[in-house]
Amino acid sequence: MKKIFLLLSIVSVFGLTSCNNDDNGNYTDYDTYPEVFEVDNVNFVASGNYQALVPLNPKIYSSDVVLVYRLSGTNQLGNDIWEPIPTTYNLPQGQLNYNFDFSQDEVVIYLDATFDPIERQDFSLNQVFRIVLVPGWVAQNLDSNNYDVVMSALKNQKGAVQIEKLN
């Protein structure tokens, strides 16, 4: 009988400490991990309404935040430069805007311009984007305009951030 009581006591201790849920109803989700997807060869053309649809599989949680960055070039050391979306360019042809929206199952990236965007193929063809999924509790105090800060914050939460290529 003592052995059964001891066994039940040990199982109870582990069972009751498996989650963090305080008396105030605050719950910390420790199993949602940030993810980063890279989408290359994105072409914004008239037949696609100058937009790119990226499905999210599996769907994200409603509390997650989606950030999108565009590869805008490289620095003098050859490192990639990622600029946050939305962003606007004032070009000789007119104004060009990248924007996005998201739901739990997809991200849509838009290219809008006051001129035909195909005139600037350096902005409309073969673009590369990174879609960063951030748990809401991480994103609360995050400077999302700085790609390096975002990646450092995600690395601190997960240990290492894998970048998955999508086509």
Side-chain angles (χ1 to χ4, degrees):
M1 181 73 174
K2 289 182 180 181
K3 290 181 182 180
I4 292 175
F5 180 72
L6 179 62
L7 180 62
L8 288 174
S9 297
I10 292 171
V11 170
S12 296
V13 167
F14 286 112
L16 294 174
T17 60
S18 64
C19 64
N20 180 9
N21 191 359
D22 65 18
D23 293 337
N24 296 326
N26 295 327
Y27 174 74
T28 303
D29 180 7
Y30 291 107
D31 64 348
T32 301
Y33 293 102
E35 294 183 70
V36 180
F37 302 103
E38 186 169 302
V39 184
D40 57 5
N41 297 318
V42 175
N43 295 311
F44 295 98
V45 293
S47 62
N49 293 324
Y50 300 105
Q51 62 184 8
L53 183 133
V54 180
L56 298 174
N57 189 12
K59 293 181 180 185
I60 63 173
Y61 294 104
S62 61
S63 61
D64 288 348
V65 175
V66 174
L67 304 173
V68 178
Y69 297 89
R70 176 182 166 266
L71 180 62
S72 63
T74 56
N75 65 14
Q76 295 173 344
L77 299 174
N79 298 320
D80 292 340
I81 299 172
W82 295 97
E83 66 181 6
I85 304 295
T87 191
T88 300
Y89 291 95
N90 292 309
L91 304 170
Q93 297 84 354
Q95 195 172 66
L96 183 134
N97 304 299
Y98 288 103
N99 211 336
F100 76 98
D101 62 31
F102 70 93
S103 66
Q104 287 183 281
D105 54 2
E106 67 184 16
V107 176
V108 182
I109 305 170
Y110 302 94
L111 177 62
D112 183 40
T114 58
F115 58 94
D116 183 0
I118 206 70
E119 290 179 30
R120 290 299 304 259
Q121 293 183 7
D122 53 333
F123 287 91
S124 60
L125 300 180
N126 298 315
Q127 299 300 300
V128 179
F129 294 93
R130 284 208 175 149
I131 298 171
V132 182
L133 307 180
V134 183
W137 59 274
V138 175
Q140 290 176 353
N141 298 314
L142 193 61
D143 178 10
S144 62
N145 288 322
N146 187 327
Y147 177 79
D148 293 326
V149 167
V150 171
M151 295 308 286
S152 290
L154 297 181
K155 183 178 179 184
N156 290 340
Q157 296 302 320
K158 190 173 182 181
V161 177
Q162 298 293 329
I163 299 171
E164 182 179 335
K165 294 235 182 203
L166 301 177
N167 289 328

PDB file of all heavy atoms in Angstrom, residues 17-22 26-34 61 135 137-138 157-158:
ATOM      1  N   THR A  17       2.642  19.918 -12.244  1.00  0.00           N
ATOM      2  CA  THR A  17       3.635  20.939 -12.587  1.00  0.00           C
ATOM      3  C   THR A  17       3.928  20.986 -14.083  1.00  0.00           C
ATOM      4  O   THR A  17       4.886  21.598 -14.503  1.00  0.00           O
ATOM      5  CB  THR A  17       4.947  20.690 -11.834  1.00  0.00           C
ATOM      6  OG1 THR A  17       5.444  19.398 -12.193  1.00  0.00           O
ATOM      7  CG2 THR A  17       4.763  20.804 -10.340  1.00  0.00           C
ATOM      8  N   SER A  18       3.103  20.421 -14.915  1.00  0.00           N
ATOM      9  CA  SER A  18       3.404  20.347 -16.343  1.00  0.00           C
ATOM     10  C   SER A  18       3.023  21.589 -17.120  1.00  0.00           C
ATOM     11  O   SER A  18       3.405  21.747 -18.264  1.00  0.00           O
ATOM     12  CB  SER A  18       2.716  19.130 -16.960  1.00  0.00           C
ATOM     13  OG  SER A  18       1.309  19.284 -16.879  1.00  0.00           O
ATOM     14  N   CYS A  19       2.261  22.509 -16.543  1.00  0.00           N
ATOM     15  CA  CYS A  19       1.921  23.727 -17.247  1.00  0.00           C
ATOM     16  C   CYS A  19       1.984  24.902 -16.294  1.00  0.00           C
ATOM     17  O   CYS A  19       2.003  24.735 -15.088  1.00  0.00           O
ATOM     18  CB  CYS A  19       0.541  23.629 -17.892  1.00  0.00           C
ATOM     19  SG  CYS A  19      -0.793  23.456 -16.702  1.00  0.00           S
ATOM     20  N   ASN A  20       2.021  26.087 -16.874  1.00  0.00           N
ATOM     21  CA  ASN A  20       2.068  27.299 -16.076  1.00  0.00           C
ATOM     22  C   ASN A  20       0.739  28.014 -16.223  1.00  0.00           C
ATOM     23  O   ASN A  20       0.469  28.640 -17.229  1.00  0.00           O
ATOM     24  CB  ASN A  20       3.219  28.192 -16.547  1.00  0.00           C
ATOM     25  CG  ASN A  20       3.305  29.459 -15.745  1.00  0.00           C
ATOM     26  OD1 ASN A  20       2.637  29.623 -14.739  1.00  0.00           O
ATOM     27  ND2 ASN A  20       4.158  30.368 -16.202  1.00  0.00           N
ATOM     28  N   ASN A  21      -0.079  27.926 -15.223  1.00  0.00           N
ATOM     29  CA  ASN A  21      -1.378  28.574 -15.248  1.00  0.00           C
ATOM     30  C   ASN A  21      -1.641  29.098 -13.844  1.00  0.00           C
ATOM     31  O   ASN A  21      -1.956  28.348 -12.939  1.00  0.00           O
ATOM     32  CB  ASN A  21      -2.461  27.578 -15.674  1.00  0.00           C
ATOM     33  CG  ASN A  21      -3.772  28.271 -15.969  1.00  0.00           C
ATOM     34  OD1 ASN A  21      -3.879  29.477 -15.838  1.00  0.00           O
ATOM     35  ND2 ASN A  21      -4.750  27.495 -16.367  1.00  0.00           N
ATOM     36  N   ASP A  22      -1.463  30.425 -13.675  1.00  0.00           N
ATOM     37  CA  ASP A  22      -1.652  30.957 -12.330  1.00  0.00           C
ATOM     38  C   ASP A  22      -3.125  31.213 -12.046  1.00  0.00           C
ATOM     39  O   ASP A  22      -3.988  31.061 -12.898  1.00  0.00           O
ATOM     40  CB  ASP A  22      -0.800  32.205 -12.110  1.00  0.00           C
ATOM     41  CG  ASP A  22      -1.197  33.367 -13.001  1.00  0.00           C
ATOM     42  OD1 ASP A  22      -2.314  33.349 -13.545  1.00  0.00           O
ATOM     43  OD2 ASP A  22      -0.387  34.295 -13.146  1.00  0.00           O
ATOM     44  N   ASN A  26      -3.810  33.866 -16.212  1.00  0.00           N
ATOM     45  CA  ASN A  26      -2.724  34.111 -17.154  1.00  0.00           C
ATOM     46  C   ASN A  26      -2.076  32.785 -17.515  1.00  0.00           C
ATOM     47  O   ASN A  26      -1.728  32.000 -16.651  1.00  0.00           O
ATOM     48  CB  ASN A  26      -1.672  35.035 -16.541  1.00  0.00           C
ATOM     49  CG  ASN A  26      -2.226  36.409 -16.266  1.00  0.00           C
ATOM     50  OD1 ASN A  26      -3.075  36.890 -16.998  1.00  0.00           O
ATOM     51  ND2 ASN A  26      -1.759  37.029 -15.197  1.00  0.00           N
ATOM     52  N   TYR A  27      -1.916  32.561 -18.807  1.00  0.00           N
ATOM     53  CA  TYR A  27      -1.335  31.315 -19.282  1.00  0.00           C
ATOM     54  C   TYR A  27      -0.196  31.646 -20.216  1.00  0.00           C
ATOM     55  O   TYR A  27      -0.335  32.473 -21.111  1.00  0.00           O
ATOM     56  CB  TYR A  27      -2.386  30.483 -20.016  1.00  0.00           C
ATOM     57  CG  TYR A  27      -1.819  29.246 -20.666  1.00  0.00           C
ATOM     58  CD1 TYR A  27      -1.453  28.149 -19.911  1.00  0.00           C
ATOM     59  CD2 TYR A  27      -1.623  29.193 -22.031  1.00  0.00           C
ATOM     60  CE1 TYR A  27      -0.910  27.024 -20.497  1.00  0.00           C
ATOM     61  CE2 TYR A  27      -1.089  28.076 -22.628  1.00  0.00           C
ATOM     62  CZ  TYR A  27      -0.738  26.993 -21.855  1.00  0.00           C
ATOM     63  OH  TYR A  27      -0.192  25.880 -22.440  1.00  0.00           O
ATOM     64  N   THR A  28       0.952  31.049 -20.021  1.00  0.00           N
ATOM     65  CA  THR A  28       2.096  31.243 -20.890  1.00  0.00           C
ATOM     66  C   THR A  28       2.227  30.033 -21.784  1.00  0.00           C
ATOM     67  O   THR A  28       2.358  28.913 -21.305  1.00  0.00           O
ATOM     68  CB  THR A  28       3.391  31.436 -20.069  1.00  0.00           C
ATOM     69  OG1 THR A  28       3.196  32.536 -19.185  1.00  0.00           O
ATOM     70  CG2 THR A  28       4.566  31.707 -20.982  1.00  0.00           C
ATOM     71  N   ASP A  29       2.201  30.262 -23.073  1.00  0.00           N
ATOM     72  CA  ASP A  29       2.279  29.195 -24.063  1.00  0.00           C
ATOM     73  C   ASP A  29       3.739  28.952 -24.400  1.00  0.00           C
ATOM     74  O   ASP A  29       4.371  29.757 -25.050  1.00  0.00           O
ATOM     75  CB  ASP A  29       1.497  29.614 -25.316  1.00  0.00           C
ATOM     76  CG  ASP A  29       1.511  28.574 -26.402  1.00  0.00           C
ATOM     77  OD1 ASP A  29       2.013  27.463 -26.155  1.00  0.00           O
ATOM     78  OD2 ASP A  29       1.017  28.863 -27.498  1.00  0.00           O
ATOM     79  N   TYR A  30       4.282  27.821 -23.944  1.00  0.00           N
ATOM     80  CA  TYR A  30       5.680  27.511 -24.181  1.00  0.00           C
ATOM     81  C   TYR A  30       5.905  26.580 -25.368  1.00  0.00           C
ATOM     82  O   TYR A  30       7.029  26.212 -25.654  1.00  0.00           O
ATOM     83  CB  TYR A  30       6.299  26.887 -22.927  1.00  0.00           C
ATOM     84  CG  TYR A  30       6.432  27.876 -21.800  1.00  0.00           C
ATOM     85  CD1 TYR A  30       5.599  27.805 -20.698  1.00  0.00           C
ATOM     86  CD2 TYR A  30       7.377  28.885 -21.848  1.00  0.00           C
ATOM     87  CE1 TYR A  30       5.719  28.708 -19.660  1.00  0.00           C
ATOM     88  CE2 TYR A  30       7.506  29.800 -20.824  1.00  0.00           C
ATOM     89  CZ  TYR A  30       6.674  29.706 -19.729  1.00  0.00           C
ATOM     90  OH  TYR A  30       6.786  30.602 -18.722  1.00  0.00           O
ATOM     91  N   ASP A  31       4.850  26.188 -26.064  1.00  0.00           N
ATOM     92  CA  ASP A  31       5.064  25.259 -27.171  1.00  0.00           C
ATOM     93  C   ASP A  31       4.870  25.897 -28.540  1.00  0.00           C
ATOM     94  O   ASP A  31       4.984  25.232 -29.555  1.00  0.00           O
ATOM     95  CB  ASP A  31       4.169  24.022 -27.034  1.00  0.00           C
ATOM     96  CG  ASP A  31       2.690  24.342 -27.118  1.00  0.00           C
ATOM     97  OD1 ASP A  31       2.342  25.520 -27.065  1.00  0.00           O
ATOM     98  OD2 ASP A  31       1.893  23.399 -27.237  1.00  0.00           O
ATOM     99  N   THR A  32       4.581  27.193 -28.600  1.00  0.00           N
ATOM    100  CA  THR A  32       4.498  27.886 -29.879  1.00  0.00           C
ATOM    101  C   THR A  32       5.873  28.461 -30.176  1.00  0.00           C
ATOM    102  O   THR A  32       6.377  29.278 -29.427  1.00  0.00           O
ATOM    103  CB  THR A  32       3.467  29.031 -29.820  1.00  0.00           C
ATOM    104  OG1 THR A  32       2.216  28.483 -29.474  1.00  0.00           O
ATOM    105  CG2 THR A  32       3.367  29.726 -31.159  1.00  0.00           C
ATOM    106  N   TYR A  33       6.469  28.024 -31.248  1.00  0.00           N
ATOM    107  CA  TYR A  33       7.807  28.476 -31.571  1.00  0.00           C
ATOM    108  C   TYR A  33       7.773  29.385 -32.787  1.00  0.00           C
ATOM    109  O   TYR A  33       6.966  29.193 -33.698  1.00  0.00           O
ATOM    110  CB  TYR A  33       8.728  27.286 -31.847  1.00  0.00           C
ATOM    111  CG  TYR A  33       8.960  26.467 -30.613  1.00  0.00           C
ATOM    112  CD1 TYR A  33       8.293  25.273 -30.399  1.00  0.00           C
ATOM    113  CD2 TYR A  33       9.825  26.924 -29.641  1.00  0.00           C
ATOM    114  CE1 TYR A  33       8.509  24.536 -29.253  1.00  0.00           C
ATOM    115  CE2 TYR A  33      10.045  26.188 -28.489  1.00  0.00           C
ATOM    116  CZ  TYR A  33       9.392  25.000 -28.303  1.00  0.00           C
ATOM    117  OH  TYR A  33       9.607  24.284 -27.164  1.00  0.00           O
ATOM    118  N   PRO A  34       8.660  30.367 -32.842  1.00  0.00           N
ATOM    119  CA  PRO A  34       8.707  31.232 -34.011  1.00  0.00           C
ATOM    120  C   PRO A  34       9.213  30.464 -35.223  1.00  0.00           C
ATOM    121  O   PRO A  34       9.991  29.529 -35.093  1.00  0.00           O
ATOM    122  CB  PRO A  34       9.685  32.331 -33.589  1.00  0.00           C
ATOM    123  CG  PRO A  34      10.509  31.719 -32.504  1.00  0.00           C
ATOM    124  CD  PRO A  34       9.633  30.714 -31.819  1.00  0.00           C
ATOM    125  N   TYR A  61      -1.675  30.553 -34.848  1.00  0.00           N
ATOM    126  CA  TYR A  61      -2.593  30.896 -33.776  1.00  0.00           C
ATOM    127  C   TYR A  61      -3.083  32.327 -33.967  1.00  0.00           C
ATOM    128  O   TYR A  61      -2.368  33.173 -34.517  1.00  0.00           O
ATOM    129  CB  TYR A  61      -1.907  30.763 -32.413  1.00  0.00           C
ATOM    130  CG  TYR A  61      -1.534  29.349 -32.064  1.00  0.00           C
ATOM    131  CD1 TYR A  61      -0.220  28.919 -32.149  1.00  0.00           C
ATOM    132  CD2 TYR A  61      -2.497  28.447 -31.653  1.00  0.00           C
ATOM    133  CE1 TYR A  61       0.123  27.618 -31.839  1.00  0.00           C
ATOM    134  CE2 TYR A  61      -2.162  27.138 -31.336  1.00  0.00           C
ATOM    135  CZ  TYR A  61      -0.850  26.736 -31.428  1.00  0.00           C
ATOM    136  OH  TYR A  61      -0.521  25.456 -31.119  1.00  0.00           O
ATOM    137  N   PRO A 135       5.323  34.580 -31.909  1.00  0.00           N
ATOM    138  CA  PRO A 135       4.281  34.446 -30.889  1.00  0.00           C
ATOM    139  C   PRO A 135       3.954  35.820 -30.304  1.00  0.00           C
ATOM    140  O   PRO A 135       4.842  36.651 -30.098  1.00  0.00           O
ATOM    141  CB  PRO A 135       4.914  33.534 -29.838  1.00  0.00           C
ATOM    142  CG  PRO A 135       5.994  32.802 -30.570  1.00  0.00           C
ATOM    143  CD  PRO A 135       6.496  33.754 -31.619  1.00  0.00           C
ATOM    144  N   TRP A 137       3.236  36.936 -27.410  1.00  0.00           N
ATOM    145  CA  TRP A 137       3.877  37.323 -26.159  1.00  0.00           C
ATOM    146  C   TRP A 137       5.316  37.769 -26.370  1.00  0.00           C
ATOM    147  O   TRP A 137       5.861  38.519 -25.575  1.00  0.00           O
ATOM    148  CB  TRP A 137       3.780  36.212 -25.110  1.00  0.00           C
ATOM    149  CG  TRP A 137       4.401  34.911 -25.508  1.00  0.00           C
ATOM    150  CD1 TRP A 137       3.819  33.905 -26.214  1.00  0.00           C
ATOM    151  CD2 TRP A 137       5.730  34.474 -25.231  1.00  0.00           C
ATOM    152  NE1 TRP A 137       4.694  32.861 -26.388  1.00  0.00           N
ATOM    153  CE2 TRP A 137       5.879  33.190 -25.789  1.00  0.00           C
ATOM    154  CE3 TRP A 137       6.805  35.034 -24.558  1.00  0.00           C
ATOM    155  CZ2 TRP A 137       7.055  32.475 -25.703  1.00  0.00           C
ATOM    156  CZ3 TRP A 137       7.987  34.306 -24.472  1.00  0.00           C
ATOM    157  CH2 TRP A 137       8.097  33.035 -25.044  1.00  0.00           C
ATOM    158  N   VAL A 138       5.958  37.348 -27.459  1.00  0.00           N
ATOM    159  CA  VAL A 138       7.313  37.794 -27.780  1.00  0.00           C
ATOM    160  C   VAL A 138       7.258  39.155 -28.475  1.00  0.00           C
ATOM    161  O   VAL A 138       8.100  40.015 -28.258  1.00  0.00           O
ATOM    162  CB  VAL A 138       8.041  36.764 -28.676  1.00  0.00           C
ATOM    163  CG1 VAL A 138       9.398  37.283 -29.120  1.00  0.00           C
ATOM    164  CG2 VAL A 138       8.183  35.440 -27.962  1.00  0.00           C
ATOM    165  N   GLN A 157      14.419  33.042 -27.711  1.00  0.00           N
ATOM    166  CA  GLN A 157      13.272  32.239 -27.310  1.00  0.00           C
ATOM    167  C   GLN A 157      13.443  30.770 -27.696  1.00  0.00           C
ATOM    168  O   GLN A 157      13.001  29.885 -27.000  1.00  0.00           O
ATOM    169  CB  GLN A 157      11.986  32.783 -27.946  1.00  0.00           C
ATOM    170  CG  GLN A 157      11.617  34.171 -27.494  1.00  0.00           C
ATOM    171  CD  GLN A 157      11.444  34.268 -25.995  1.00  0.00           C
ATOM    172  OE1 GLN A 157      10.888  33.375 -25.376  1.00  0.00           O
ATOM    173  NE2 GLN A 157      11.923  35.342 -25.408  1.00  0.00           N
ATOM    174  N   LYS A 158      14.056  30.528 -28.841  1.00  0.00           N
ATOM    175  CA  LYS A 158      14.102  29.171 -29.372  1.00  0.00           C
ATOM    176  C   LYS A 158      15.490  28.550 -29.324  1.00  0.00           C
ATOM    177  O   LYS A 158      15.623  27.339 -29.370  1.00  0.00           O
ATOM    178  CB  LYS A 158      13.592  29.196 -30.818  1.00  0.00           C
ATOM    179  CG  LYS A 158      13.362  27.828 -31.415  1.00  0.00           C
ATOM    180  CD  LYS A 158      12.701  27.922 -32.768  1.00  0.00           C
ATOM    181  CE  LYS A 158      12.442  26.552 -33.326  1.00  0.00           C
ATOM    182  NZ  LYS A 158      11.828  26.585 -34.624  1.00  0.00           N
TER     183      LYS A 158
END
